[in-house]
Coordinates of all heavy atoms in Angstrom, one line a residue:
A331 N 100.8 111.7 84.1 CA 101.2 111.2 85.4 C 102.2 112.2 86.0 O 103.1 112.6 85.2 CB 101.8 109.8 85.3
P332 N 102.2 112.5 87.3 CA 103.1 113.4 87.8 C 104.5 112.8 87.8 O 104.7 111.6 87.9 CB 102.6 113.7 89.3 CG 101.7 112.6 89.5 CD 101.2 112.1 88.2
D333 N 105.5 113.7 87.7 CA 106.9 113.2 87.8 C 107.4 113.5 89.2 O 107.6 114.6 89.6 CB 107.8 114.0 86.8 CG 109.2 113.6 86.9 OD1 109.6 112.6 87.5 OD2 110.1 114.4 86.3
F334 N 107.6 112.4 90.0 CA 108.0 112.5 91.4 C 109.5 112.6 91.5 O 110.0 112.6 92.6 CB 107.4 111.3 92.2 CG 105.9 111.3 92.3 CD1 105.2 110.3 91.8 CD2 105.3 112.4 92.8 CE1 103.8 110.3 91.9 CE2 103.9 112.4 92.9 CZ 103.2 111.3 92.4
G335 N 110.2 112.5 90.4 CA 111.7 112.6 90.5 C 112.4 111.3 90.6 O 111.8 110.3 90.9
P336 N 113.7 111.3 90.4 CA 114.5 110.1 90.4 C 114.6 109.4 91.8 O 114.9 108.2 91.8 CB 115.8 110.5 89.9 CG 115.9 111.9 90.2 CD 114.5 112.5 90.1
R337 N 114.4 110.1 92.8 CA 114.5 109.5 94.2 C 113.2 108.9 94.7 O 113.2 108.4 95.8 CB 115.1 110.6 95.2 CG 116.5 111.0 94.8 CD 117.0 112.0 95.8 NE 116.2 113.2 95.8 CZ 116.2 114.1 96.7 NH1 117.0 114.0 97.8 NH2 115.4 115.2 96.7
F338 N 112.2 109.0 93.9 CA 110.9 108.4 94.4 C 110.9 106.9 94.2 O 111.1 106.4 93.2 CB 109.7 109.0 93.6 CG 108.4 108.5 93.9 CD1 107.8 108.9 95.1 CD2 107.7 107.6 93.1 CE1 106.5 108.4 95.5 CE2 106.5 107.1 93.5 CZ 105.9 107.5 94.6
A339 N 110.6 106.2 95.3 CA 110.5 104.8 95.3 C 109.1 104.3 95.9 O 109.0 104.4 97.1 CB 111.6 104.2 96.1
P340 N 108.2 104.0 95.0 CA 106.8 103.6 95.6 C 106.9 102.4 96.5 O 107.7 101.5 96.2 CB 106.0 103.4 94.3 CG 106.9 103.2 93.2 CD 108.2 103.8 93.6
T341 N 106.1 102.4 97.5 CA 106.1 101.3 98.5 C 105.4 100.1 97.9 O 104.5 100.2 97.0 CB 105.4 101.7 99.8 OG1 105.5 100.7 100.7 CG2 103.9 102.0 99.6
H342 N 105.8 98.9 98.3 CA 105.2 97.7 98.0 C 104.7 97.0 99.3 O 104.2 95.9 99.2 CB 106.1 96.8 97.2 CG 106.6 97.4 95.9 ND1 105.8 97.4 94.8 CD2 107.7 97.9 95.5 CE1 106.4 98.0 93.8 NE2 107.6 98.3 94.2
K343 N 104.8 97.7 100.4 CA 104.3 97.2 101.7 C 102.8 97.2 101.7 O 102.2 98.0 101.1 CB 104.9 98.0 102.8 CG 106.4 97.9 103.0 CD 106.8 98.6 104.3 CE 107.0 100.1 104.1 NZ 107.5 100.7 105.3
D344 N 102.3 96.3 102.5 CA 100.8 96.3 102.7 C 100.5 97.3 103.8 O 101.3 97.8 104.5 CB 100.4 94.9 103.3 CG 98.9 94.6 103.0 OD1 98.2 95.5 102.4 OD2 98.4 93.6 103.5
N345 N 99.2 97.7 103.8 CA 98.8 98.7 104.8 C 99.0 98.1 106.2 O 98.9 96.9 106.4 CB 97.3 98.9 104.7 CG 96.9 99.7 103.4 OD1 97.7 100.0 102.6 ND2 95.6 100.0 103.3
M346 N 99.3 98.9 107.2 CA 99.5 98.5 108.6 C 98.2 97.9 109.1 O 98.2 96.9 109.8 CB 99.9 99.7 109.4 CG 100.1 99.4 110.9 SD 100.4 100.9 111.9 CE 101.7 101.8 111.0
N347 N 97.1 98.5 108.8 CA 95.8 98.1 109.4 C 94.9 97.4 108.4 O 93.7 97.4 108.6 CB 95.1 99.4 109.9 CG 95.9 100.0 111.0 OD1 96.3 99.4 112.0 ND2 96.1 101.3 110.9
G348 N 95.4 96.8 107.3 CA 94.6 96.1 106.4 C 94.0 97.0 105.3 O 94.2 98.2 105.3
A349 N 93.1 96.4 104.5 CA 92.5 97.1 103.4 C 91.5 98.1 104.0 O 90.8 97.8 105.0 CB 91.8 96.2 102.5

Side-chain angles (χ1 to χ4, degrees):
D333 178 10
F334 295 120
R337 296 182 296 163
F338 177 76
T341 186
H342 298 287
K343 294 190 273 185
D344 201 7
N345 293 3
M346 180 189 306
N347 298 309

